[in-house]
Amino acid sequence: MIALRRIRAADPDGPAALRELCRRGAGATAAADEVEATARGILDDVRARGDQAVREHAERLDRRSPDPATGSYEIPPERWRAAADQVAPEVARALERAAERIAAFHDPQRPAPYSIEEGTLSLRVVPLARVGLYAPGGTARYPSSVLMTGVPARLAGVGEIVLVTPGASPETLLAARLAGVTRVFELGGAQAIAALAYGTETVPRVDKIVGPGNQWVAAAKRLVYGEVDIDSVAGPSEVMIIADGSAEPAWIAADLLAQAEHDTAAHPVLVVTDEAVAAAVERELARQLADLPRAGIARAALEGNGACAVVASLDDALALAEEYAPEHLELAVEGAAELAARVRRAGAVFVGAYSPEAAGDYLAGPNHVLPTAGCARYASPLGVYDFVKHVSVIRWDREQLEEAWRDIAALAEVEGLSAHARSVAIRMSGGEGGGEGEGGDEGGGAGDDAGRGEAAGERRRGRR
């Protein structure tokens, strides 16, 4: 029998226990500190020694050596395309269909440039030049993640898409081909993140790294942020399922197990208004675990991080979900569509009995790279918009500057930035400095307190 940790909102300690549930992953631990220290050491080593360091860490951690003929971990295009042709026909069809549906959902996300004031002010949308995709290859391999990260990058117009994965299965390589991946390196872990972030003799430096990975990959991504952009620092995968008496217990149990089998650190959470529903689900969990191939992983996740919250009403269940901000939120209740319309804090919402989270993982179309650990309070699913940058363009003529320069100078003086004021005044004075003529007094005054301007500049350094 599986007994999920029960949290009853009506108990004296219930509210505090629910708050603690919502804080999953909060606070550093000794283990997390050790992971970060390990990742930092690998990053520093690869940054200093390039390919040699990558090879030493890959051989030590993954027992993987570079190609003897090339000295590189890159899989030649002809080899990975040939491997992709070995995929079973039914799997290939499924991957092709998934790629089509992902592309159809993401294509409308392409951001549009715009201009105002007759084209003198505009915002340009520019695709990133090169991005790195990370695909896990440890206890499970995820060709679906290659599609979810690569297809939006291709739609955005990214010039070069580089995939790193520690286990390049034929299915992963077919997904790479369908997604528009340019190069594939059979690398994983923090050393792969380091190679992408800093560049080595054989691995190109990228502008952004996306995709899920283990705790060392997550730590490495966090540490290289700023050197490159990243999508997010992914925590353990999680699902919250709100179920009422209309839900089928076997289906709810299957969905909890689908999340639990990802990793022993996964968070499968059930929310009910009737404890009889929870008891029925627990019986199904025990029955289905008996023949689940990854039963050991799933059981550890359920026992270590699983929970069942018992609340008074669906309104209370929704309030808990909004506070928890789950990666995946399933609504297995009557009136699910109406409840879903009120959800604001979730990575993805699965509405009704026939919308299991697995549909979103593979074929529905929306992205399965989602904010975790409560980040759905402010973060969004991965999309085309993550693979572009914006460039502001300002083009004024003399008439426009003449109309605005005094306001610019006044604001610059308030901030103690005299050179800013002078830079507009000098254009209006017709001279080479802040002398006589139009705007001369204002331009000259801008430099009266040079010391004050320098001090203010020091205080504001980094703001401009």
Side-chain angles (χ1 to χ4, degrees):
M1 182 69 178
I2 287 288
L4 295 171
R5 177 169 63 99
R6 200 74 92 240
I7 303 174
R8 299 176 179 86
D11 288 353
D13 62 347
L18 290 175
R19 286 194 298 273
E20 187 61 29
L21 176 70
C22 293
R23 293 183 68 252
R24 77 283 191 199
T29 65
D33 290 343
E34 183 176 345
V35 167
E36 182 163 317
T38 300
R40 188 186 298 278
I42 293 172
L43 292 172
D44 291 345
D45 194 21
V46 171
R47 186 170 198 168
R49 299 195 296 125
D51 277 343
Q52 182 60 35
V54 169
R55 175 173 183 165
E56 290 174 10
H57 293 295
E59 290 179 338
R60 175 174 62 88
L61 297 170
D62 295 334
R63 294 179 174 82
R64 192 179 303 281
S65 297
D67 186 318
T70 64
S72 170
Y73 285 93
E74 183 170 11
I75 303 176
E78 64 277 7
R79 203 172 92 208
W80 61 267
R81 287 172 183 142
D85 291 335
Q86 301 171 14
V87 176
E90 65 275 15
V91 176
R93 283 193 299 271
L95 285 170
E96 289 164 2
R97 188 179 181 201
E100 291 170 0
R101 293 178 65 89
I102 294 165
F105 181 84
H106 286 77
D107 190 63
Q109 295 177 358
R110 301 189 203 211
Y114 65 84
S115 299
I116 63 174
E117 293 188 20
E118 300 179 0
T120 59
L121 304 176
S122 60
L123 189 76
R124 292 173 52 208
V125 179
V126 182
L128 300 181
R130 184 187 292 128
V131 300
L133 316 181
Y134 189 95
T139 57
R141 293 178 180 178
Y142 300 112
S144 59
S145 291
V146 178
L147 295 179
M148 292 290 181
T149 53
V151 170
R154 185 192 74 215
L155 291 173
V158 172
E160 188 174 357
I161 304 173
V162 181
L163 171 66
V164 293
T165 178
S169 67
E171 294 79 12
T172 298
L173 294 172
L174 174 57
R177 186 168 73 189
L178 294 170
V181 168
T182 313
R183 302 175 69 179
V184 180
F185 290 82
E186 204 156 20
L187 282 171
Q191 60 271 19
I193 300 301
L196 291 174
Y198 305 130
T200 71
E201 296 89 336
T202 60
V203 181
R205 183 186 182 192
V206 302
D207 300 318
K208 184 165 187 168
I209 301 172
V210 303
N214 63 21
Q215 57 187 332
W216 288 275
V217 170
K221 285 174 66 178
R222 182 171 57 251
L223 290 168
V224 299
Y225 176 63
E227 187 76 36
V228 293
D229 193 16
I230 63 171
D231 52 348
S232 64
V233 180
S237 193
E238 58 194 33
V239 67
M240 175 175 278
I241 303 177
I242 300 177
D244 64 10
S246 70
E248 171 54 58
W251 298 5
I252 302 305
D255 289 357
L256 288 169
L257 289 170
Q259 198 61 226
E261 73 173 350
H262 269 295
D263 189 275
T264 57
H267 289 256
V269 178
L270 177 63
V271 182
V272 300
T273 56
D274 182 349
E275 288 203 58
V277 174
V281 169
E282 288 173 337
R283 288 192 292 272
E284 278 295 328
L285 286 171
R287 186 182 69 80
Q288 293 183 34
L289 271 170
D291 62 354
L292 190 69
R294 293 168 66 89
I297 293 172
R299 183 182 295 274
L302 289 166
E303 293 176 346
N305 304 306
C308 175
V310 184
V311 297
S313 67
L314 287 182
D315 283 343
D316 289 346
L318 179 60
L320 175 59
E322 290 287 284
E323 186 64 26
Y324 191 87
E327 178 187 16
H328 308 98
L329 176 63
E330 288 193 18
L331 303 177
V333 298
E334 291 183 346
E338 291 77 10
L339 195 64
R342 297 162 56 191
V343 174
R344 299 181 62 186
R345 293 173 154 190
V349 184
F350 301 83
V351 186
Y354 293 95
S355 304
E357 186 252 317
D361 275 351
Y362 296 109
L363 206 72
N367 212 286
H368 79 198
V369 179
L370 301 166
T372 61
C375 295
R377 291 179 295 116
Y378 55 83
S380 306
L382 190 72
V384 174
Y385 37 75
D386 287 298
F387 295 99
V388 299
K389 64 184 296 292
H390 300 86
V391 179
S392 297
V393 180
I394 301 166
R395 180 171 56 84
W396 275 5
D397 56 25
R398 180 182 175 85
E399 182 179 346
Q400 288 169 307
L401 183 60
E402 191 168 19
E403 187 277 328
W405 78 271
R406 289 180 176 84
D407 290 336
I408 297 170
L411 292 173
E413 289 287 8
V414 165
E415 296 192 351
L417 297 174
S418 302
H420 282 64
R422 180 175 294 171
S423 74
V424 292
I426 198 170
R427 286 168 165 79
M428 296 296 100
S429 70
E432 298 179 356
E436 300 293 330
E438 183 179 359
D441 290 343
E442 290 87 344
D448 287 346
D449 190 351
R452 178 170 61 85
E454 290 173 4
E458 286 296 323
R459 289 194 297 273
R460 295 174 177 83
R461 182 161 296 155
R463 202 180 65 180
R464 282 177 166 76

